[in-house]
């Protein structure tokens, strides 16, 4: 990923593009192929999600929106992977904490 991160970061100009990157990797993971089996085994897909997030290729909003789309879709196997679910739960809590601190900051700014 070190080689590809700079290119992927340039392609990640907004949430739709970030979700496109996530959808592409999830499509590969859901293939009935060796690549799909590898990505859905153990912690591999979580590692991909977390690395994309840590390398600032995708943001929290894109990951959570992608997960919402997956829940509404026909196949939510990736979301049922325990370590993926753990990462998504962590992002949701972090996102809620950020939202609440933003609201506190804007209300104290008005004082």
């Amino acid at each position: 990923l070190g080689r590809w991160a700079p290119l992927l970061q340039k392609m990640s100009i907004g949430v739709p593009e970030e979700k496109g990157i996530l959808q592409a990797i999830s499509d590969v993971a859901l293939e009935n192929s060796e690549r799909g089996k590898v990505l859905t085994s153990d912690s591999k897909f979580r590692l991909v999600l977390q690395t994309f997030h840590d390398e600032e290729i995708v943001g929290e909003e894109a990951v959570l929106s992608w997960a919402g789309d997956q829940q509404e879709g026909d196949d939510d196997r990736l979301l049922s992977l325990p370590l993926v679910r753990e990462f998504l739960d962590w992002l949701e809590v972090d996102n809620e904490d950020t939202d609440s601190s933003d609201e506190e900051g804007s209300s104290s700014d008005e004082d």
Side-chain angles (χ1 to χ4, degrees):
L1 188 59
R3 171 185 278 172
W4 293 101
L7 174 64
L8 292 171
Q9 288 167 342
K10 288 179 183 175
M11 294 170 55
S12 300
I13 55 176
V15 172
E17 292 79 15
E18 293 171 19
K19 285 176 60 179
I21 291 169
L22 293 171
Q23 188 58 52
I25 196 71
S26 65
D27 288 348
V28 172
L30 294 172
E31 287 178 354
N32 188 19
S33 68
E34 190 62 34
R35 293 180 304 197
K37 290 175 187 169
V38 167
L39 280 172
T40 55
S41 66
D42 302 325
S43 60
K44 306 265 187 331
F45 196 78
R46 185 227 168 106
L47 179 63
V48 169
L49 283 179
Q50 189 168 346
T51 302
F52 279 15
H53 178 263
D54 291 348
E55 293 292 325
E56 298 181 0
I57 295 167
V58 298
E60 289 176 12
E61 183 181 352
V63 175
L64 295 174
S65 180
W66 166 82
D69 292 349
Q70 295 297 302
Q71 277 182 316
E72 294 172 7
D74 294 335
D75 196 344
D76 65 350
R77 284 182 287 163
L78 296 174
L79 302 182
S80 64
L81 296 170
L83 292 175
V84 170
R85 185 76 259 154
E86 179 185 280
F87 178 66
L88 294 173
D89 291 344
W90 176 81
L91 276 182
E92 288 172 356
V93 168
D94 188 53
N95 194 38
E96 289 170 5
D97 289 347
T98 302
D99 289 346
S100 66
S101 67
D102 286 347
E103 289 171 9
E104 289 171 9
S106 60
S107 65
S108 63
D109 289 343
E110 294 170 5
D111 293 340

